[in-house]
Amino acid sequence: MYAQFFGSYLLSRNAVTPVELKEAISHLSDSHLRLGTIAMSKGYMTAKEVDEVCFLQTREDKHFGEIAVERNYLFDDQLNELLKSQNPDYLLLGQNLVDMGVLTNERLETLLAGYQKENQIDPAAGGDDIPEQTTELVRNFFFTSGRTLSDLMVTYMNLIFNNLVRFIGGDFTPLSPAFVSEYDTNCAVIQRLTGVLPLHSGIDMDKEAAIEFASRYAQMEFNEFDEYVQASLEDFLNLHNGLFSVNMSNTSSKEAELAPPEFTENRSVELSSNAFVVPVIYPFGTVYLILSPDN
């Protein structure tokens, strides 16, 4: 989830707009990470050195790595390491923003260093998400928004973000949570949990976003909002909460009991005093995660 929360980090620093971020995210699947971005993220080259080598490539028929070694910006062993390394998607997101002209390499260099430091990310660790680190990403995300979550709630939120990646797609960015006691729904599914973590949880979106969300989840194309789309939304939330319950049973011998999910449309729902809503931007629209812990 490094890429998803890097997008949120960029928004919180006013480095990008939501529209620019959505555009960059939409091109992640058809973009390829370049050697200069990787070298800069690992501290092997500065942004100015990367820019210089990119300029020289327009004058010389040579690869980036070849020129960088000739200029003594990289050693041979560093180049070989970079060519073999696995790298997190947040580097690709930053590179897309540079290609769009939203960021310079110099600005990206500073933002990468700040993001890695704030979340204790080791640039040499490679591209795999580590569960303990993604948990800390989630914890920091809420802390910087002015809310400290309990360990159980952090575990719950970490799982739902991972399940969005797993079942819907990783091309999203969460925005800062809004702390509300009432919420006006579009097309929402809400489910009550009792036991280890008493709360009402839900997902909400407009009909156009719901059609694409359901299409991704069911891995089949829906063209209109109907009972199949509604059932897919209900099934996603029920699956997520079921996985949370199983995880709690396996790790703490405590379970979360689930009521049947309920669909609600175009009405206001009352939430608890410590409830919050997290907007999650996808290219197809915004999904709202509704969390209302029982007081």
Side-chain angles (χ1 to χ4, degrees), residues 136-197:
E136 288 307 306
L137 284 174
V138 173
R139 194 186 306 277
N140 289 342
F141 171 72
F142 282 94
F143 180 77
T144 56
S145 301
R147 176 68 65 92
T148 301
L149 298 186
S150 68
D151 289 343
L152 268 180
M153 185 58 77
V154 169
T155 299
Y156 183 92
M157 295 306 301
N158 187 48
L159 180 63
I160 198 168
F161 286 128
N162 274 292
N163 282 337
L164 285 174
V165 172
R166 179 181 177 186
F167 297 111
I168 309 302
D171 52 339
F172 70 84
T173 286
L175 304 185
S176 296
F179 305 105
V180 297
S181 58
E182 190 174 346
Y183 178 79
D184 295 328
T185 65
N186 291 292
C187 300
V189 176
I190 298 175
Q191 187 171 37
R192 185 184 181 193
L193 287 75
T194 57
V196 64
L197 183 62

Side-chain angles (χ1 to χ4, degrees), residues 66-77:
E66 187 178 358
I67 297 174
V69 170
E70 288 177 355
R71 293 271 167 167
N72 294 319
Y73 294 153
L74 285 176
F75 297 112
D76 286 328
D77 58 341

Side-chain angles (χ1 to χ4, degrees), residues 3 13 98 165 198 202 226 280:
R13 298 310 189 272
V98 171
V165 172
D226 55 20
V280 177

Side-chain angles (χ1 to χ4, degrees), residues 121-281:
I121 299 172
D122 181 2
D128 295 332
D129 283 359
I130 302 171
E132 293 79 5
Q133 284 192 344
T134 61
T135 298
E136 288 307 306
L137 284 174
V138 173
R139 194 186 306 277
N140 289 342
F141 171 72
F142 282 94
F143 180 77
T144 56
S145 301
R147 176 68 65 92
T148 301
L149 298 186
S150 68
D151 289 343
L152 268 180
M153 185 58 77
V154 169
T155 299
Y156 183 92
M157 295 306 301
N158 187 48
L159 180 63
I160 198 168
F161 286 128
N162 274 292
N163 282 337
L164 285 174
V165 172
R166 179 181 177 186
F167 297 111
I168 309 302
D171 52 339
F172 70 84
T173 286
L175 304 185
S176 296
F179 305 105
V180 297
S181 58
E182 190 174 346
Y183 178 79
D184 295 328
T185 65
N186 291 292
C187 300
V189 176
I190 298 175
Q191 187 171 37
R192 185 184 181 193
L193 287 75
T194 57
V196 64
L197 183 62
L199 83 157
H200 287 77
S201 69
I203 53 173
D204 179 52
M205 61 205 83
D206 62 30
K207 287 186 177 180
E208 289 74 17
I211 293 169
E212 180 60 25
F213 186 99
S215 297
R216 289 186 176 201
Y217 177 70
Q219 297 184 21
M220 59 187 300
E221 185 174 354
F222 297 115
N223 296 310
E224 60 180 350
F225 189 90
D226 55 20
E227 65 271 19
Y228 299 107
V229 170
Q230 178 181 326
S232 295
L233 301 183
E234 294 173 350
D235 193 60
F236 170 81
L237 185 62
N238 192 62
L239 174 62
H240 160 68
N241 284 327
L243 290 172
F244 175 75
S245 180
V246 170
N247 289 350
M248 289 297 96
S249 178
N250 290 338
T251 59
S252 64
S253 299
K254 298 179 181 179
E255 297 183 5
E257 298 177 5
L258 312 179
E262 298 180 1
F263 178 76
T264 182
E265 185 177 4
N266 297 325
R267 75 178 183 89
S268 180
V269 294
E270 292 187 4
L271 306 175
S272 63
S273 60
N274 56 345
F276 56 91
V277 176
V278 181
V280 177
I281 297 180

